[in-house]
């Protein structure tokens, strides 16, 4: 009975998408850019590089998370924290991971699982990471941009945070509460008016959505699209 109970408990746990801090920090995360980030980023991503004949493909980049809230990768030191929701989706603590570097927060990573090995997946609109080594490009289509898992998180589902990031605006649940309540002086119809930063943010987002309404994708345009 204990074996049967343990089996069913393991099946149930394989579907859990709320990762604990200890679990997050216990893996070396294999990370790559998504094609939607643009060639400015994929051209420098090891996973995307063409493989010469008789040569071995380059492994994906590695990221590590630490229990003190910091992270490390080839791109440098950063920070991480859980947020309660993102882009209309909610879940228990551990479902949404927010990464940052030098105080700049990146669009939230959504946590999911890879059914064939029960591994963990972290992904946002521009980046994809796994708790296991990512197969070389072309080896596992279901883990690539066109696969159902990867394409479930894209520039459309993450539009709010992607646009805020590209405009240099604070993301929801920003730690900088002073910045979100700041009063800005802006020009509207030729007149200077004082508005809360959040109102200015909404106006800018509305303008950006109107300007990009005909685009199918949105590339990362800021300093680093894959934190």
């Amino acid at each position: 009975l204990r074996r049967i109970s343990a089996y069913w408990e393991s099946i149930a746990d394989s579907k859990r998408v709320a990762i604990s801090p200890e679990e997050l920090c216990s893996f070396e995360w294999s990370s790559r850019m998504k094609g939607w980030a643009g060639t400015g980023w994929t051209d420098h991503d090891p996973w995307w590089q063409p493989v010469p004949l008789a040569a071995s493909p380059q492994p994906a980049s590695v990221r590590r998370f630490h229990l003190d809230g910091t992270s490390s990768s080839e791109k440098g030191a950063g920070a991480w924290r859980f947020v309660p929701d993102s882009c209309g989706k909610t879940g228990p603590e551990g479902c949404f991971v927010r990464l940052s570097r030098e105080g700049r927060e990146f669009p939230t990573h959504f946590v999911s699982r890879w059914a064939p090995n029960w591994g963990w997946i972290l992904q946002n609109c521009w980046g994809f990471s796994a708790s296991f080594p990512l197969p070389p490009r072309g080896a596992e289509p279901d883990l690539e941009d066109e696969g159902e898992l990867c394409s479930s998180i894209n520039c459309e589902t993450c539009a709010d945070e992607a646009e805020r990031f590209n405009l240099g605006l604070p993301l929801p649940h920003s730690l900088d509460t002073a910045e979100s309540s700041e009063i800005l002086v802006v020009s509207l119809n030729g007149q200077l008016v004082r508005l809360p930063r959040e109102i200015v943010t909404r106006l800018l987002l509305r303008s950006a959505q109107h300007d990009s309404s005909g685009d199918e994708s949105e590339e990362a345009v800021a300093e680093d699209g894959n934190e």
Side-chain angles (χ1 to χ4, degrees):
L1 290 178
R2 289 182 180 178
R3 292 184 191 178
I4 295 176
S5 176
Y7 170 77
W8 287 112
E9 287 178 3
S10 68
I11 293 296
D13 188 68
S14 71
K15 300 178 181 180
R16 175 173 55 91
V17 294
I19 194 169
S20 70
E22 291 76 17
E23 288 170 322
L24 182 70
C25 298
S26 68
F27 299 109
E28 287 190 346
W29 293 85
S30 184
S31 304
R32 68 170 181 85
M33 300 295 294
K34 289 184 176 180
W36 302 310
T39 56
W41 309 118
T42 57
D43 284 351
H44 303 285
D45 187 299
W47 185 86
W48 283 90
Q49 302 314 302
V51 181
L53 293 176
S56 299
Q58 296 187 54
S61 301
V62 172
R63 175 182 291 120
R64 297 176 179 84
F65 297 92
H66 311 289
L67 287 172
D68 62 359
T70 62
S71 65
S72 55
S73 70
E74 290 91 336
K75 295 180 180 296
W80 69 272
R81 63 189 179 94
F82 293 139
V83 292
D85 55 68
S86 178
C87 299
K89 296 185 178 182
T90 61
E93 183 176 85
C95 291
F96 309 98
V97 183
R98 178 74 57 78
L99 306 184
S100 63
R101 186 184 303 126
E102 298 180 352
R104 181 107 187 256
E105 292 192 319
F106 299 91
T108 303
H109 280 68
F110 293 74
V111 182
S112 59
R113 306 296 286 270
W114 173 237
N117 64 8
W118 298 355
W120 295 91
I121 300 294
L122 297 178
Q123 61 171 323
N124 66 6
C125 48
W126 298 317
F128 188 91
S129 299
S131 63
F132 51 90
L134 285 174
R137 186 180 178 191
E140 180 50 81
D142 287 342
L143 284 173
E144 301 195 12
D145 289 358
E146 294 75 17
E148 181 179 357
L149 176 62
C150 188
S151 60
S152 66
I153 306 297
N154 54 55
C155 292
E156 182 177 345
T157 60
C158 300
D160 178 56
E161 292 191 8
E163 288 166 356
R164 286 173 178 260
F165 178 84
N166 281 337
L167 290 170
L169 299 172
L171 302 185
H173 308 298
S174 171
L175 292 176
D176 192 351
T177 55
E179 183 180 58
S180 62
S181 61
E182 181 183 359
I183 299 297
L184 302 178
V185 178
V186 298
S187 177
L188 287 178
N189 298 324
Q191 294 187 353
L192 296 179
V193 296
R194 294 167 58 85
L195 293 173
R197 174 178 284 274
E198 182 60 27
I199 298 298
V200 176
T201 296
R202 292 178 184 177
L203 292 173
L204 288 171
L205 288 174
R206 185 178 301 173
S207 176
Q209 290 167 356
H210 175 76
D211 292 342
S212 62
S213 59
D215 296 340
E216 294 183 356
S217 63
E218 181 176 356
E219 295 184 355
V221 297
E223 179 183 355
D224 188 344
N226 185 38
E227 64 293 331

